[in-house]
Amino acid sequence: MTVISGDGVFSHACVGASDLAQSTKFYDAALAPLGVNNLGAFGDAAMLYGKDKPAFLVLKPGNGEAPSGNGVTIGFAAASQADVDAFHAAGLAAGGSCEGAPGPRGHLPGAYAAYLRDPAGNKVCSYHFTAA
């Protein structure tokens, strides 16, 4: 049985996918520069992602309705500004759309980030923080 990782705050995070294969292609590409790997399918309706064990799931909504994450953003940590740039470029190349180009974020000292929408319309971002 697969164990969800948890980090002391969350056990896991999920986003819905209209087309699981298309979303899997997007997340495989966008998360690879951050060291987050596709850990395989969970049944026939979900893909698991994580570093050592699953913490992020991409899945078909259980009720069969279209996914909706309006107002929700999931942020992924990056080890460097270059990793943020690579996350954004890979996500765009894999079918995502830009919601904020890579660059400094004035609202948080030392923040460098990029935002994307996945193929289902979910908003994801990657942040790297340096000393301000």
Side-chain angles (χ1 to χ4, degrees):
M1 179 174 175
T2 303
V3 176
I4 303 296
S5 70
D7 66 0
V9 177
F10 299 105
S11 64
H12 63 285
C14 299
V15 294
S18 300
D19 180 329
L20 189 57
Q22 184 180 33
S23 290
T24 297
K25 178 182 172 185
F26 170 83
Y27 283 107
D28 284 358
L31 297 181
L34 307 178
V36 178
N37 303 306
N38 180 328
L39 301 177
F42 188 65
D44 62 356
M47 294 302 292
L48 304 172
Y49 290 86
K51 290 192 175 185
D52 298 319
K53 45 189 172 176
F56 179 65
L57 290 73
V58 179
L59 47 83
K60 295 179 187 175
N63 63 6
E65 295 180 14
S68 174
N70 189 30
V72 175
T73 303
I74 296 178
F76 293 91
S80 68
Q81 291 181 359
D83 289 349
V84 172
D85 294 344
F87 158 85
H88 193 260
L92 290 175
S97 59
C98 182
E99 279 290 315
R105 295 301 190 259
H107 61 280
L108 293 170
Y112 185 91
Y115 286 80
L116 294 165
R117 290 271 179 185
D118 74 8
N122 298 298
K123 189 188 286 187
V124 294
C125 65
S126 181
Y127 269 77
H128 174 70
F129 294 93
T130 59

